[in-house]
Amino acid sequence: MIPAWAGSGLLVLALLPAALSAQVDTTRRDTTARDTTARDTTARDTLPALLPTFESAIMPGPLPRGTRYTFTADSVLLSSARTLSDLLGHVPGVYVARGGWYGEPEIILYGGRGPASLEIYWDGMPMLPLGRDSVYIDPARIPLGPIERVDVIMLPASLQVYLVTSQHRSTAPRTQVGIVSGQYDIADYRAGYATRMRSGFGVSLLADWASIGQSSLGITTPPFGTSDIWVKADYVPPGGRVGASFQVSSSSWHRAEAARVDGWRQDRRDRLLRLFVAERGDGLGWRFTATLGTSGIGHDTAVAQRTVSGAIIEASQTWRTASVSGVARFAAAGAPQQFEARAGWMPVRPITLAGNVRQSIYSNHRAGVRVFGTAGITLPLGLSARAEVGWRHDVQAALVMTDQVQQTLDLAGWVGFENRLVTLEVGRGRRDPFAPLGFAVGIRTVDSLNPTPLTEFIAAHATLRIVPGFTLTGWYFDPVLGGGDFEPPRHGRVSAAFYAKFWRVFKSGIFALRGEVAMESWSRSALGGIDTAGVKLGMTGSSFVDTNLEMQLAGVTLFWSVTNINIMRSSYVTGLGYPKSVQQYGARWFFTN
C-alpha cells in the first residue's frame, strides 16, 4: 500500500518531464525515443513451469481394484515409517521379523515362502541381495529418502514392490532439510536439493546421515550408523517424448556386534542409466525404454567385493482401457536372464483383466517360470469381486547356485464393498506346500525355517471414515489351515487417525494436524523358526502399540512418535529384545528458493 503523500509526489515527478518539454522544440523528431508498443524479447519469464518427467516404472494397468497398494510421498511423510519394512507392514499378512529396533534386520515374511515372498524393483531394475544377504534382502537397508512413490502388488503368495525415485517437475528449485532426535542418542540429518531448467535438464541430490547410540541392557539394538547419498540427473524436454536419466545411490552402514545380532559393515553402490522414446507425452501410445545398471558391495568384513550388472529393454503399447508390454532383462555375474510379458485390459467398464508371465534363466543350468493372473468386476451398490491365481516353477534365491526349483499353485478370492463411509475387502485363499530356503543373515537365534504345509487363509482389510477427519483402518490375517513360520494366527493391525487442515481458521490451508494410534497384535504360535541346534522355536502372543503426532505449517512438518508405548515385554523374534516406550521427534522442511 503506497501512502497518499507518496502517491502525490510520484504524480508530480511523472508530470514534471511533460512540463519541461513545453519549453523545447516539439516538432523535431526524438531519435532516442523507444517504441513502447514493441514486444520486449529480452524479458525473462520467471514464473515456475511444470515439465514432463519419466513414466513411473511400476506394474502397468489397468488392474482390478484392491490389487495395488500405493504409498505416496505425503503418506510416507505423515506416518511413523522410517524404513521400507515399516511401510510393508501395512499390507495384510505381512510379518516383519525385527532383529531389534532401528538399525537391526527387518526381514519381510509373507505367505510362508521365505525369500521367494518378496521382489523389489528400483526404478524398474531388480534389487538383488548381495554379500552376506544373498538369500534375503533386508528392506530396512533400502533408503526411503529418494523415494516419492511405493507400489506394492499383492499376489497370493508373494509381493512385488516398485520403488519410484523422486522426479522434480517444477522449474522452481526445492530444498529440504530434516532433523530427528530422541532416546538412545538417536540422530538423523537430511539435506536435499532439486532444480529443473526450462530446457528439461534437472539435477536432484539427497544426503542422509543416521545413527543410534548404546542401548540399555536387554535390548538387542547395538550402536548403528548409516549414510545414504543419492544423486540424479534427468533430461526430459517439453513434450515428454524422449528423455534420459542417470542416478547413483550409495549406502554405507556399520552395526556393532551384539549378543544375538551379528555386527555388519558394508557399502552398497547402485548406478542406473535410463533412456526412453515415446509416441506421445501423455503416457498413451507406444514407448521404448532401455536401462543399464550396476550394483556392487564392498568393505564387508566377511565376504569379498561383488558386482553385478544388467540391461533391460522394454517395449509397451498403452491405450485408454488396455496396456501390453514386453520386458527383456540381461545380466552378468550370476544374475538371471528374464523375459516377461505383461498385460491389462478392461474389455467392458465393470470388468478388468490383468496378468503376466515370466521366464527366468539362472546359472548352473536352472530355469524357472512364473505366471500370475487376476480378474475383477465392479458391481452396483459399491460391491466388487476379484480372483487371483499364481503358478510358479522357479527358484527362491537367484544368486544361490544350489537352490532348486519348486512348483506351487496359489489361489485367492476377494469380495469388497465401498462407499463414502466404509471401504471393506474380505478374502480367502489357498497356498501349496513349500520349503523355504534358510533364513536371513544377522539374526543369530534363527537358523532356518520349517517347511510350510498346504495352507488355507482368510484375510480382510477395512477403512471406516466415522466423521470428517477421523478414520479407522486395519487388516486381519489368519491361516485357518496349516501356516508357516512367522505366519501367526489372528494377526492384525489397527489404526485410529485424526487429520484436519483447519480450513476455517487458516483459509490458505497451510496448517494441518495429524495424530495416530496404531496397534499390531498376533496370537501364540508354535512356528517361529529353527535355531542352530535344530530346536523348533515358538512365538509368544504380542501386542505393540505405537503413537505418532504430526503438525504441518506450510513446508514444515514437525513430528513426535513413541514406539511400544504399552511397554510390551515380548519381541518379534524369539530370543531377541525390543525397546519399551522409545521416543523420537524431529522436523522436515521443504521450501522453494
Side-chain angles (χ1 to χ4, degrees), residues 492-513:
R493 185 183 187 275
V494 62
S495 166
F498 169 79
Y499 179 73
K501 281 184 171 291
F502 298 98
W503 292 105
R504 296 180 181 178
V505 179
F506 301 92
K507 295 183 179 180
S508 61
I510 65 172
F511 181 79
L513 180 67

Side-chain angles (χ1 to χ4, degrees), residues 42-56:
T42 62
R44 182 181 180 184
D45 185 3
T46 58
L47 294 177
L50 296 179
L51 298 177
T53 60
F54 267 75
E55 283 288 313
S56 299

Side-chain angles (χ1 to χ4, degrees), residues 517-520 543-547 562-566:
V517 178
M519 180 181 69
E520 183 182 10
S543 295
F544 290 95
V545 179
D546 302 329
T547 62
V562 184
T563 301
N564 191 15
I565 196 172
N566 59 329

Side-chain angles (χ1 to χ4, degrees), residues 527-589:
L527 300 173
I530 304 173
D531 65 13
T532 55
V535 178
K536 294 184 178 182
L537 304 174
M539 298 178 64
T540 59
S542 305
S543 295
F544 290 95
V545 179
D546 302 329
T547 62
N548 185 46
L549 182 64
E550 308 252 355
M551 182 179 69
Q552 282 188 332
L553 183 60
V556 181
T557 301
L558 308 175
F559 72 90
W560 171 47
S561 62
V562 184
T563 301
N564 191 15
I565 196 172
N566 59 329
I567 318 179
M568 193 75 185
R569 296 182 178 275
S570 60
S571 62
Y572 288 81
V573 179
T574 301
L576 300 181
Y578 197 73
K580 303 174 181 63
S581 189
V582 179
Q583 302 182 47
Q584 53 181 324
Y585 37 84
R588 294 274 191 266
W589 289 269

Side-chain angles (χ1 to χ4, degrees), residues 444-466:
R444 294 180 180 176
T445 57
V446 180
D447 177 73
S448 58
L449 301 176
N450 293 285
T452 303
L454 175 68
T455 300
E456 295 185 6
F457 67 90
I458 57 173
H461 60 92
T463 299
L464 177 61
R465 294 168 284 274
I466 302 176

Side-chain angles (χ1 to χ4, degrees), residues 329-377:
R329 303 185 181 97
F330 307 95
Q337 323 292 327
Q338 295 180 333
F339 304 93
E340 183 174 0
R342 303 181 295 197
W345 183 33
M346 188 181 295
V348 292
R349 190 167 185 83
I351 299 176
T352 304
L353 307 174
N356 70 296
V357 56
R358 186 175 72 196
Q359 169 80 50
S360 301
I361 302 174
Y362 305 95
S363 58
N364 203 20
H365 307 289
R366 297 170 300 157
V369 178
R370 298 191 186 191
V371 179
F372 167 70
T374 179
I377 182 171

